[in-house]
Amino acid sequence: MVKRYKYPFVIFITSFFFLMVQVSLASEKNIGVIMTGDISYYKEVHKAFIDALNASGFGHEKVNIILQTPAPSVVPWSNAAKKLIAYDVDIIVTYGTPATVAVLNEKPDKPIVFAGVYDPEVLEIKGKKVTGISSKVPVVTAIKYLRGIQPFTKLGVIYNDSERDTIKQVNELRELEGQFGYQIIKFNVKKPEDAFKISGIEALFITTSCVARQCSYNVSTILRKEKIPAASIMDTGGESGAILMITPDPEEQGRMAAQMVIKILRGESPSNIPIERPKKIEMIINLKEASILGLKVPLDIITSATRVIK
């Protein structure tokens, strides 16, 4: 006996609807993003990244953004990388060297696009499916202008020995010791309370260390208490307590990363997309912080700045 359905048209429409949903889902791409902790610079990079995707027609209807925000430590970075690889995302986007290294250590068979990596050479990415935009700025410029605000002979430097790029920055500072007549005193910061080890210095250089960014409150507290001027790279809002910041523009970092992702989504190989250098670098003078320290910033340095915080 043949069973007859009372509403064959409805059944057809329903089946067709599910088919269309499956096709739609199949056409979406998953982009995994690793953005370390609560760091304002990376938040600005990510906002620019999303805005650029939307402006190019790659909004949420075409791509799914799977965001991981690990704490600044080796294990959380590694876990974030493993989660995105397990999810089988189509592209992995990383902000900063530690997150990028964590992904590379997992050897994923997926394209990787990075932003905010101080020096891509430390990644050893030759022959891999990796591209991105560097965030390297001239360390010598930061030292030159910091000395112009207040001379010093003992320069403290905050770094983290698990973040390769910060070690490179320490070495660059060491190479400038003879030229500028200072001695480096290193502070290996691994947790917020390590910031209270800062002492015996006349000025401070804050590297791109993610850990240093996470303990910026403690750092700024020490700087204000001891009246220590600081220069920072990768800082846009003066949250670190620095009076001088030389920083790659976060909007450019996010926009360039998005453009690279779009090229890959359209079929281009990451190996054919050259790594870019930052074209827009800001010099920010924090007059508010200088006033707290009792320092007067020379007019020629103020006029050289691209932005002044009052």
Side-chain angles (χ1 to χ4, degrees):
M1 177 173 140
V2 178
K3 186 175 182 180
R4 297 181 181 276
Y5 290 95
K6 188 175 181 180
Y7 304 109
F9 180 72
V10 174
I11 292 172
F12 169 76
I13 291 295
T14 304
S15 300
F16 180 74
F17 172 78
F18 281 119
L19 177 62
M20 290 304 295
V21 169
Q22 290 173 346
V23 170
S24 175
L25 288 175
S27 66
E28 290 180 346
K29 296 293 184 179
N30 294 315
I31 300 176
V33 178
I34 300 181
M35 179 176 70
T36 302
D38 188 27
I39 297 175
S40 62
Y41 184 83
Y42 291 148
K43 288 181 178 179
E44 292 189 43
V45 172
H46 186 61
K47 181 181 182 303
F49 175 75
I50 297 298
D51 288 346
L53 287 180
N54 289 332
S56 299
F58 286 87
H60 65 274
E61 70 283 353
K62 287 191 177 181
V63 297
N64 296 317
I65 304 295
I66 302 163
L67 180 63
Q68 295 287 301
T69 56
S73 185
V74 173
V75 173
W77 279 319
S78 177
N79 288 340
K82 289 175 180 176
K83 288 177 184 177
L84 292 180
I85 293 169
Y87 195 87
D88 197 27
V89 296
D90 297 284
I91 301 173
I92 299 177
V93 176
T94 56
Y95 305 142
T97 300
T100 309
V101 169
V103 173
L104 288 170
N105 286 343
E106 298 301 323
K107 299 178 173 58
D109 187 27
K110 299 293 180 182
I112 301 169
V113 175
F114 61 78
V117 169
Y118 180 77
D119 189 347
E121 287 186 7
V122 304
L123 301 177
E124 301 175 356
I125 57 177
K126 187 176 181 180
K128 298 179 181 179
K129 298 179 180 178
V130 186
T131 189
I133 177 168
S134 161
S135 64
K136 190 170 186 176
V137 297
V139 167
V140 64
T141 301
I143 296 301
K144 174 185 173 182
Y145 281 111
L146 185 60
R147 281 181 59 83
I149 296 172
Q150 177 166 292
F152 54 85
T153 57
K154 293 183 178 180
L155 177 66
V157 54
I158 293 180
Y159 77 109
N160 183 300
D161 62 7
S162 66
E163 301 180 53
R164 297 183 194 175
D165 52 338
T166 69
I167 296 174
K168 185 173 181 63
Q169 290 157 43
V170 170
N171 292 335
E172 289 181 17
L173 289 168
R174 193 178 298 285
E175 291 173 0
L176 296 172
E177 283 182 323
Q179 179 182 344
F180 289 98
Y182 63 74
Q183 176 189 1
I184 281 181
I185 300 175
K186 299 189 298 183
F187 298 100
N188 187 9
V189 176
K190 294 179 177 292
K191 51 187 182 299
E193 51 267 35
D194 286 345
F196 295 111
K197 297 177 181 177
I198 298 172
S199 64
I201 59 173
E202 299 164 341
L204 181 69
F205 185 93
I206 304 171
T207 66
T208 57
S209 168
C210 293
V211 178
R213 303 296 152 184
Q214 288 289 79
C215 62
S216 59
Y217 177 80
N218 289 352
V219 173
S220 62
T221 298
I222 293 295
L223 294 177
R224 291 176 177 181
K225 180 181 178 182
E226 303 298 330
K227 304 297 182 184
I228 300 171
S232 171
I233 52 180
M234 198 193 85
D235 192 343
T236 57
E239 62 185 15
S240 63
I243 62 175
L244 168 69
M245 290 154 273
I246 306 290
T247 179
D249 179 39
E251 191 278 333
E252 179 187 56
Q253 293 280 314
R255 176 170 44 81
M256 291 298 296
Q259 291 173 359
M260 293 173 180
V261 165
I262 290 168
K263 288 180 181 179
I264 295 170
L265 289 174
R266 288 174 173 165
E268 194 162 345
S269 171
S271 59
N272 293 331
I273 303 173
I275 293 173
E276 297 282 352
R277 292 184 177 182
K279 297 177 178 62
K280 187 176 180 182
I281 296 175
E282 296 183 295
M283 185 173 92
I284 304 168
I285 297 295
N286 191 337
L287 291 181
K288 180 180 178 181
E289 203 65 40
S291 177
I292 293 173
L293 299 180
L295 294 174
K296 186 175 181 180
V297 180
L299 182 60
D300 62 323
I301 294 180
I302 295 174
T303 55
S304 298
T306 56
R307 182 151 60 95
V308 176
I309 300 175
K310 296 182 179 180

